[in-house]
Amino acid sequence: MATRRIISQEKSILEKDERTDFSPAAGEKSDIAPAVPMGVIVKLLVFTFAMIVVPIGSYFLTVDNLFKGNSTFAGALAAIMANVVLVAYIVAAMREDQSEQLAEQAKEAKKSR
């Protein structure tokens, strides 16, 4: 037994949306700025890489050389190094935020003159 398909005469959601203001008009330049500056992305990638490499590297470099096979001390050092990388990231982020605030204050001071 076959069923009949009822075809609606209504427009679909895509057909109802007749706006054409998505693209810039002829002669206008598009103002599409990245959501996150490239420097922030690079900084995040560098600290992500450091968060992986520094603790693991410090563990394997010290487990035999410095601690003579004692993996407990080497693991503790790796945990400390992970925290050092984390604190360094927080400090770098805070400095970046302060530099942006100082730049905004300098612009406001120039405008008031």
Side-chain angles (χ1 to χ4, degrees):
M1 202 149 101
T3 59
R4 276 182 104 179
R5 193 170 174 195
I6 299 172
I7 300 174
S8 175
Q9 298 299 326
E10 293 181 18
K11 290 183 178 181
S12 69
I13 294 173
L14 294 176
E15 293 170 339
K16 286 180 183 178
D17 192 14
E18 296 177 358
R19 295 186 311 175
T20 58
D21 59 345
F22 293 119
S23 61
E28 290 182 19
K29 288 192 174 184
S30 173
D31 185 24
I32 299 175
V36 179
M38 190 59 152
V40 173
I41 294 173
V42 169
K43 187 180 297 184
L44 180 64
L45 290 175
V46 167
F47 277 101
T48 301
F49 180 74
M51 193 66 175
I52 295 169
V53 172
V54 170
I56 294 172
S58 67
Y59 174 81
F60 285 111
L61 286 174
T62 60
V63 71
D64 288 327
N65 298 331
L66 186 63
F67 298 120
K68 295 178 180 52
N70 190 345
S71 61
T72 303
F73 291 143
L77 179 67
I80 291 169
M81 294 307 293
N83 285 311
V84 166
V85 171
L86 181 63
V87 168
Y89 178 71
I90 292 170
V91 168
M94 288 177 64
R95 282 188 179 176
E96 179 181 328
D97 189 37
Q98 288 174 353
S99 67
E100 289 176 3
Q101 289 175 356
L102 291 175
E104 289 177 12
Q105 289 175 355
K107 286 180 183 178
E108 290 175 6
K110 286 182 180 179
K111 286 180 182 179
S112 65
R113 289 183 190 172

